[in-house]
Amino acid sequence: MFPRLLRALTVPLVLCFGACATTEGQPEAPRPHTQPAPLLPAPGEANPSPAAPPASSVDPALQARVEGLMARLSLEDKVGQLMMVGFAGTEVDGSVEELVRGRRVGGVCLFKRNIEDSEQVARLNDGLRRLLADGIPPFLALDQEGGNVVRVRDGVVVLPGNMALGATRSTELAYAAGHAQGEDLKRLGFNMNLAPVLDVNLNPRNPVIGIRSYGDSVPLVSELGRAFVRGQQDAGLVTVAKHFPGHGSTDADSHKSLPVMSESREEVLAQMEPFRVVIQDGLDGLMTAHVAVPSLTGDDLPATVHPEVLGGLLRQRLGFDGLVLTDELEMDAIAQRYGVGRAAVMAVNAGADMVLVPWRAEKKKEVYEALRAAAWSEDIPRARLDDAVRRILTAKVRRGLFEPLPPLEERLATPPSPEHEEVAHRIARAAVTLLRADGKHFPLSQETRLGVITAEDSLGEAIRARVPEAQVMNVPAYPSRARRAVLRQRARRLALASDVVVVGMINSRQLELVTMAAATGRPVLVVSMGLPYLAEQADEARAVLAVYSYQPAATEAAAAALFGEIGTPGRLPVGLNGLAFGDNAR
């Protein structure tokens, strides 16, 4: 952990106003710095006067339009705007209409349960927009990060993911990724994406970030995050980066318990640098993390409901005047402590503008009633309510949500640009990193009698496209205990019938298959499609490639690299025990 924390400190911190310089599109290497002034007082100290926020760049015409919209809204309308909701199902029915139109909600977030394919979700988005055609258009959002968080798989570019981008070191590719994805999602009727992830993955055992992060270097995450945000916002998509103030150093999952950022004050502040960089560039919105930050606040109150974190740190010290959306309030880190209704009121009073309540119908009712009661009683002060609604409306006007879209059939008849798909392939090819090679078995010959064991079918397909006779054994990513014994025996038989075995690994369940295949004496080559920390444990492998993704673009790049069709230009975006950040064994 120490080298990762050291990298987190060897950057210009939040109150250093110069951004990390780049050369030829590559983030600059970490360099020493002087200690910054604190963003928050130490627990028990007096609060210093807030840092002046950047001068407002709001267009007077935009401001006037927002005020005109505000004047038309009732208190109940304003409360509805504070809610980002989800629902079950794939079409607009009576229950969806009652939720969206009945409460005049500010946004709808779609998940896998709502999406069958690109045409269906485009029609669903069109139906949701029609429900509020006579009022304030809703944010239509999703989490389309790439990598292992993908909601739509056809009709859009499917990116390899952030850690693959981290291995490329390319701000040009990060911008292209954000722009291509933004254009594709807008064509399907989305106007908001809850991405990118700006958490710095400092803890190899982090259960929720991992390859969703660009890496464990603050400058790397800052520069690639900045480029991706610019690309997505230039495409006109409302961009909500996450998870402020940072989730990458924790070892707990906020779906189940409250993670605590246990590092020192300086280390915690260092992890916020990526957020400062994109805020300075004009970021649309931030999503909060349900994490406690005792070194900054002196208590274990989660950041989502903490006025010192949202009001003091984010609004006053960092000068962020964009949209603040909470992570899901139904997560146990919040719901078990406070209940979702009380938490919603706490979050808004702390400085959040919208609360995300995607799952249970009764929880959405509880949140709406709690917010409405608090607004009427002024437990949420009227000025705070209006401030939140103004930010919501400003984002909607700025990003063109009130403007009509091209007709749905016209959009559906327009295929995605082939150049967008090529962006995914460029990233994947540039990300391939050689972690180990014995100089004898890599690259492979197409004449080799090849066995393939893989937790991702597309890797086997890409290898068979080159060696049709290859024997491919597809295995579940998470097999049951009983199934694992059977798989070990099958792996042994496959290895004995092969000259070389390739194992495609996503998680630790495949490590034992590496061991079983190597025990036969056959050389084993590993393709790591998940976290590179795990690849280090494949001691028996003669060569190890990391591609950081199991998306098709990444597995195709892996196959091409295995057979020497492309090189292995990627550089480690995280430090390992035996390899340093930036290493490559090529």
Side-chain angles (χ1 to χ4, degrees):
M1 177 73 82
F2 178 75
R4 297 181 181 92
L5 292 179
L6 186 60
R7 273 200 297 284
L9 288 170
T10 53
V11 295
L13 290 191
V14 180
L15 289 186
C16 253
F17 291 101
C20 304
T22 60
T23 304
E24 299 180 348
Q26 310 306 315
E28 188 179 80
R31 59 185 183 271
H33 71 288
T34 55
Q35 188 67 21
L39 285 178
L40 287 176
E45 290 180 5
N47 192 38
S49 57
S56 175
S57 58
V58 176
D59 180 347
L62 183 154
Q63 209 163 19
R65 187 172 183 188
V66 167
E67 292 306 317
L69 292 168
M70 287 286 293
R72 291 166 33 194
L73 299 181
S74 68
L75 184 138
E76 281 79 9
D77 291 333
K78 292 175 181 178
V79 168
Q81 285 299 301
L82 303 183
M83 294 184 64
M84 172 81 73
V85 301
F87 58 87
T90 57
E91 58 186 27
V92 174
D93 59 16
S95 65
V96 174
E97 182 173 1
E98 181 182 356
L99 171 65
V100 175
R101 183 172 175 79
R103 295 205 170 101
R104 299 276 171 165
V105 298
V108 178
C109 187
L110 300 185
F111 294 85
K112 283 185 178 179
R113 62 181 178 169
N114 307 115
I115 300 171
E116 295 172 348
D117 55 46
S118 59
E119 179 176 342
Q120 169 268 329
V121 78
R123 296 189 185 282
L124 175 58
N125 281 334
D126 212 49
L128 292 168
R129 188 178 287 101
R130 283 198 303 272
L131 290 178
L132 294 171
D134 59 346
I136 305 297
F139 291 124
L140 297 173
L142 80 169
D143 298 277
Q144 187 84 355
E145 299 173 11
N148 59 347
V149 181
V150 173
R151 308 303 190 203
V152 187
R153 294 192 168 275
D154 72 303
V156 297
V157 58
V158 177
L159 300 169
N162 281 359
M163 195 163 280
L165 263 170
T168 73
R169 300 299 199 273
S170 173
T171 52
E172 176 194 353
L173 285 175
Y175 178 90
H179 197 268
Q181 180 163 270
E183 287 191 338
D184 284 354
L185 292 176
K186 282 197 70 178
R187 189 172 50 83
L188 300 184
F190 290 102
N191 51 44
M192 173 184 278
N193 192 18
L194 308 181
V197 167
L198 295 182
D199 307 82
V200 184
N201 198 68
L202 294 169
N203 188 346
R205 295 180 180 84
N206 188 298
V208 292
I209 302 301
I211 58 174
R212 298 168 67 193
S213 171
Y214 293 108
D216 69 4
S217 158
V218 170
L220 182 69
V221 175
S222 299
E223 287 303 295
L224 295 184
R226 162 191 266 172
F228 187 97
V229 166
R230 280 179 174 167
Q232 198 164 252
Q233 290 187 174
D234 283 354
L237 204 67
V238 180
T239 295
V240 177
K242 56 194 183 188
H243 309 80
F244 183 84
H247 212 310
S249 64
T250 62
D251 58 6
D253 182 349
S254 52
H255 291 84
K256 303 173 183 177
S257 61
L258 178 65
V260 177
M261 297 179 75
S262 58
E263 298 83 8
S264 72
R265 174 189 186 79
E266 290 74 20
E267 289 163 349
V268 169
L269 293 178
Q271 293 177 57
M272 297 182 198
E273 174 69 3
F275 296 101
R276 186 201 67 81
V277 167
V278 295
I279 286 169
Q280 193 178 51
D281 261 16
L283 175 71
D284 290 328
L286 280 175
M287 176 180 280
T288 67
H290 303 327
V291 298
V293 198
S295 64
L296 294 185
T297 65
D299 57 38
D300 66 349
L301 197 66
T304 292
V305 296
H306 209 307
E308 285 188 51
V309 175
L310 299 189
L313 173 59
L314 181 59
R315 295 297 192 197
Q316 295 179 35
R317 305 301 295 175
L318 294 182
F320 182 56
D321 199 36
L323 183 71
V324 174
L325 169 69
T326 73
D327 208 340
E328 299 169 20
L329 292 185
E330 290 157 283
M331 291 181 183
D332 284 351
I334 295 293
Q336 294 286 346
R337 279 187 155 212
Y338 309 107
V340 295
R342 180 186 172 202
V345 174
M346 292 172 68
V348 172
N349 275 332
D353 304 308
M354 297 189 79
V355 295
L356 176 57
V357 196
W359 302 112
R360 294 158 60 184
E362 68 271 20
K363 297 302 181 184
K364 289 184 269 289
K365 180 180 179 182
E366 179 184 337
V367 166
Y368 178 78
E369 291 179 350
L371 289 173
R372 182 175 62 177
W376 273 115
S377 68
E378 296 208 43
D379 284 346
I380 297 176
R382 197 59 52 90
R384 170 79 276 267
L385 175 65
D386 286 353
D387 188 44
V389 176
R390 280 192 185 91
R391 287 199 178 94
I392 294 164
L393 296 177
T394 296
K396 290 181 175 184
V397 173
R398 179 181 287 130
R399 292 295 172 207
L401 269 66
F402 289 85
E403 308 308 316
L405 292 174
L408 175 63
E409 300 304 329
E410 178 183 319
R411 285 184 281 121
L412 289 174
T414 305
S417 168
E419 293 178 1
H420 293 178
E421 185 62 27
E422 180 56 23
V423 169
H425 287 285
R426 287 171 61 201
I427 293 167
R429 291 191 293 266
V432 181
T433 311
L434 185 63
L435 302 184
R436 185 188 313 154
D438 65 1
K440 182 178 179 183
H441 297 95
F442 173 83
L444 289 169
S445 164
Q446 293 189 1
E447 308 304 315
T448 302
R449 195 173 51 144
L450 199 58
V452 181
I453 304 167
T454 178
E456 169 50 49
D457 297 0
S458 63
L459 177 64
E461 293 166 6
I463 290 174
R464 266 195 176 142
R466 294 159 170 84
V467 182
E469 299 80 17
Q471 299 300 304
V472 177
M473 173 182 159
N474 291 313
V475 301
Y478 294 95
S480 66
R481 183 175 295 275
R483 185 82 183 276
R484 287 166 64 184
V486 173
L487 292 174
R488 286 195 297 268
Q489 292 308 310
R490 286 183 57 200
R492 182 177 186 277
R493 288 196 296 270
L494 180 71
L496 288 170
S498 308
D499 295 328
V500 177
V501 180
V502 174
V503 179
M505 190 167 65
I506 293 175
N507 58 52
S508 61
R509 306 303 192 282
Q510 291 85 58
L511 268 176
E512 61 185 3
L513 302 182
V514 174
T515 299
M516 185 59 68
T520 65
R522 303 300 192 265
V524 176
L525 279 59
V526 165
V527 175
S528 171
M529 299 177 284
L531 284 167
Y533 313 111
L534 185 64
E536 261 196 325
Q537 299 177 38
D539 296 326
E540 303 92 344
R542 306 290 183 87
V544 179
L545 287 177
V547 294
Y548 316 96
S549 174
Y550 48 76
Q551 295 300 341
T555 54
E556 169 60 28
L562 282 170
F563 290 97
E565 298 166 17
I566 63 172
T568 56
R571 296 164 57 197
L572 266 173
V574 297
L576 307 181
N577 290 327
L579 291 169
F581 173 85
D583 275 358
N584 186 321
R586 67 182 184 276

